[in-house]
Amino acid sequence: MDRIHMDALDAIAGAQAEAFITLADGNRYRMINFVSFEASAEINLVEVPILGKSGKGNKPTGWTGTWSGNAQYNQSVFREMMLEYKRTGKLPRFDIQVTNEDPTASNGRQTIILKNCYFKGGTLTKFDADAETLDEDIEGTFDDWEMPEKFNLLNGMQ
């Protein structure tokens, strides 16, 4: 029986992505300054004692969405959100859209849209006289998400 292997070209190149932030007021920004980004959904599980069993079962009871990343320190979009919150007590919500598409891969593209995002706060100002460039860590939460585009199955997966 012949083994089937993934074609190396189908590994998605890390820089082959695009990201957008859309504010609730409709302003949309292409976040070309992002260096890295990751979003995760964690399933909340509770242990359930079951009469007559020596072990406990598990029951999913919801999920929590978080995102984090790193960006070049060269834009003020997130600082403007923090300033609005400081001034008004209203923290703007936004959506983040990330599309991965590597033209050398056969599996197409995937787009995930994180909905109702909040920014947890972060760098207001900084400098480093010894640094070649400045960057900043960013993080937040989301409470919904969509996947309007998904990767095609790789040859050999079915």
Side-chain angles (χ1 to χ4, degrees), residues 5 7 26 49 53 62 78 87 98 105 117 129 146:
H5 300 281
D7 186 329
K53 287 185 76 175
F78 291 118
R87 287 180 177 162
V98 175
C117 297
E146 299 171 357

Side-chain angles (χ1 to χ4, degrees), residues 18-72:
E18 60 182 358
F20 296 88
I21 289 179
T22 304
L23 302 179
D25 66 9
N27 283 326
R28 189 170 195 232
Y29 302 97
R30 183 184 301 266
M31 300 309 289
I32 59 175
N33 64 315
F34 278 12
V35 176
S36 64
F37 184 85
E38 183 173 333
S40 300
E42 181 179 337
I43 305 296
N44 303 322
L45 297 172
V46 295
E47 289 186 343
V48 178
I50 301 172
L51 185 63
K53 287 185 76 175
S54 58
K56 295 183 178 182
N58 291 286
K59 178 180 177 113
T61 61
W63 62 276
T64 303
T66 59
W67 59 267
S68 63
N70 183 271
Q72 299 292 338

Side-chain angles (χ1 to χ4, degrees), residues 77-157:
V77 173
F78 291 118
R79 279 170 282 287
E80 288 173 333
M81 289 181 201
M82 290 189 287
L83 185 59
E84 182 175 339
Y85 182 65
K86 180 188 79 88
R87 287 180 177 162
T88 68
K90 296 177 185 173
L91 186 61
R93 286 195 319 187
F94 54 95
D95 296 343
I96 300 173
Q97 176 182 320
V98 175
T99 299
N100 297 98
E101 183 177 22
D102 184 338
T104 65
S106 69
N107 49 352
R109 60 193 268 146
Q110 175 180 277
T111 298
I112 301 288
I113 303 171
L114 309 178
K115 309 291 283 183
N116 304 322
C117 297
Y118 282 113
F119 177 58
K120 285 187 173 182
T123 304
L124 292 178
T125 189
K126 71 187 295 182
F127 68 85
D128 182 342
D130 196 36
E132 292 181 15
T133 63
L134 295 177
D135 66 344
E136 60 184 318
D137 292 325
I138 54 175
E139 66 178 332
T141 64
F142 62 96
D143 65 22
D144 197 3
W145 64 283
E146 299 171 357
M147 187 169 57
E149 297 177 300
K150 61 182 180 176
F151 290 127
N152 301 319
L153 289 177
L154 298 174
N155 290 331
M157 287 185 70

